[in-house]
Amino acid sequence: MFVAQELRKKNIAEYLLYMWQIEDTIRAFGCSLSRIRREYIDRFDYTDEQKEEESDWFGNLIRMMNQEGCREQGHLQINKVVMQQLQELHAQLLSSSKFPFYNSEYYKVLPFIVELRNRGASKDENEIETCFNSLYGVMMLRLQKKEISPNTQHAITEISTFVGMLNDYYLKDKQKPLEFD
């Protein structure tokens, strides 16, 4: 909860990836709050009050996962909304002539998006989801200490730059709405 709150303010892209990881953490503990409390939260150097807050947060996420039918897979609605906001901003940035650097970065990363989609990314997901899924997948590979090919590393570097740019525009838009054509 504490990490999520900070990331949401500073970096919406990292926030979303973190929340996906939290969803997977909850699944890894069988959606059991008592296990999460005992085997996960207790490992952190939190005060008793912070542990209680963190437990409440996880409890709410578990309840939402149960209600929304994403105990096994998929994402919470709160995370889908963030993704939709990023996709909508992406579309606005692309359609405006006021953001040529964003457009340039998008066309630089587009071949990687196309390749990822050809390799089996869901045809239902939008381009921003494809980028996030690739970033999350590589993040998981790194956590498992698995090798990442040079080609994949190059693609991820480009996608990270692009998503970073989208993140920056998202934060700017939240501070003061961007003006489009």
Side-chain angles (χ1 to χ4, degrees):
M1 176 185 85
F2 304 110
V3 173
Q5 287 173 333
E6 281 304 304
L7 286 176
R8 184 159 183 118
K9 287 184 241 171
K10 295 179 181 172
N11 190 319
I12 198 68
E14 286 183 15
Y15 164 80
L16 192 56
L17 293 169
Y18 177 77
M19 289 302 295
W20 286 4
Q21 189 176 14
I22 290 297
E23 291 169 341
D24 282 345
T25 299
I26 290 170
R27 292 182 188 112
F29 287 104
C31 295
S32 165
L33 183 57
S34 60
R35 279 191 65 206
I36 290 169
R37 192 177 293 181
R38 187 176 60 250
E39 299 173 37
Y40 185 74
I41 295 172
D42 284 348
R43 293 183 1 209
F44 296 99
D45 189 26
Y46 290 152
T47 65
D48 288 342
E49 185 180 324
Q50 288 173 318
K51 286 181 182 181
E52 202 53 45
E53 284 182 59
E54 193 81 353
S55 293
D56 288 347
W57 183 67
F58 271 98
N60 286 330
L61 292 174
I62 291 167
R63 183 182 44 75
M64 288 188 289
M65 287 173 77
N66 286 325
Q67 290 173 344
E68 296 175 22
C70 56
R71 270 181 75 99
E72 304 295 321
Q73 63 182 11
H75 298 296
L76 287 165
Q77 194 60 38
I78 56 172
N79 297 330
K80 289 179 181 177
V81 167
V82 171
M83 179 62 70
Q84 184 176 348
Q85 290 171 342
L86 289 170
Q87 174 58 31
E88 288 170 2
L89 177 59
H90 166 70
Q92 288 176 305
L93 290 167
L94 282 183
S95 65
S96 174
S97 63
K98 292 185 176 182
F99 304 94
F101 294 114
Y102 184 83
N103 271 272
S104 173
E105 196 61 38
Y106 168 70
Y107 286 107
K108 195 171 169 187
V109 95
L110 186 58
F112 300 116
I113 295 171
V114 170
E115 185 177 341
L116 286 164
R117 287 186 157 187
N118 288 339
R119 286 189 179 177
S122 171
K123 302 297 180 219
D124 297 335
E125 72 185 27
N126 63 56
E127 293 171 329
I128 300 304
E129 271 181 285
T130 300
C131 290
F132 272 85
N133 281 329
S134 67
L135 292 171
Y136 188 74
V138 168
M139 186 174 90
M140 291 295 103
L141 289 173
R142 285 186 178 132
L143 286 172
Q144 297 166 22
K145 307 223 184 301
K146 293 191 176 171
E147 193 172 325
I148 298 158
S149 74
N151 287 345
T152 299
Q153 185 54 54
H154 176 68
I156 288 303
T157 300
E158 295 296 334
I159 290 170
S160 293
T161 300
F162 171 66
V163 168
M165 192 176 276
L166 178 60
N167 175 73
D168 291 346
Y169 281 120
Y170 178 89
L171 294 175
K172 285 177 186 172
D173 190 50
K174 291 296 172 202
Q175 290 171 353
K176 180 181 176 219
L178 296 173
E179 291 183 28
F180 303 97
D181 294 337

